[in-house]
C-alpha cells in the first residue's frame, strides 16, 4: 500500500489505494472495512487539525484528500506511520469508538 502525492495543474491531492495495508487485519478485527471511507473517518478523528483544511473524495477502493501541499505532506507523514502499524490503528479505533465517533465504512 502506498501513499501518493499528486499535482495536476496546481491542484494537490493525496491518494491511498486501500488494498494490502499491514493494518487491514486490525481494521477487520475491529468490525470495520478497510476501505477509503474508513480511512477518511480515521483521518478526521485522529488528526482533526489536518483534516479541517482538506477536501475528501474517497471511494471504496481508494482514500483521497485534496488540499495544500503542506497539509497533504503532514497527512502523508501521519498516515504513513499508521498504515504500517496494526497497534496504532487499534488504538485509534478504540479511542474513536469510546468517544462515540462512528466510522462510515
Amino acid at each position: 500500500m502506498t501513499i501518493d502525492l499528486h499535482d495536476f495543474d496546481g491542484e494537490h491531492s493525496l491518494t491511498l489505494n486501500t488494498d494490502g495495508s499491514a493494518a487491514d487485519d486490525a481494521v477487520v478485527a475491529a468490525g470495520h472495512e478497510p476501505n477509503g471511507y474508513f480511512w477518511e473517518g480515521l483521518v478526521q478523528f485522529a488528526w482533526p487539525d489536518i483534516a479541517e483544511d482538506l477536501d475528501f473524495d474517497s471511494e471504496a477502493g481508494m482514500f483521497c484528500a485534496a488540499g495544500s501541499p503542506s497539509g497533504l505532506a503532514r497527512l502523508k507523514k501521519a498516515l504513513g506511520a499508521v498504515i504500517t502499524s496494526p497497534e496504532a490503528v487499534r488504538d485509534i479505533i478504540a479511542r474513536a469508538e469510546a468517544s462515540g465517533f462512528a466510522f462510515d465504512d
Side-chain angles (χ1 to χ4, degrees):
M1 177 180 283
T2 61
I3 301 172
D4 297 306
L5 293 172
H6 308 278
D7 177 359
F8 297 110
D9 295 328
E11 298 289 324
H12 303 278
S13 64
L14 176 149
T15 58
L16 169 69
N17 184 331
T18 60
D19 294 334
S21 161
D24 282 358
D25 289 343
V27 174
V28 171
H32 298 285
E33 289 288 326
N35 59 30
Y37 305 113
F38 169 81
W39 290 108
E40 184 175 318
L42 184 133
V43 166
Q44 291 172 335
F45 175 80
W47 306 291
D49 59 321
I50 296 173
E52 70 185 359
D53 294 327
L54 302 175
D55 293 315
F56 297 97
D57 189 19
S58 299
E59 300 175 359
M62 178 185 68
F63 167 81
C64 181
S68 71
S70 62
L72 294 172
R74 288 178 58 210
L75 177 60
K76 182 177 182 178
K77 182 177 179 180
L79 197 54
V82 170
I83 64 171
T84 59
S85 174
E87 297 82 18
V89 169
R90 280 192 290 271
D91 176 63
I92 293 169
I93 292 171
R95 288 187 292 119
E97 291 176 348
S99 76
F101 183 85
F103 289 94
D104 182 23
D105 57 330

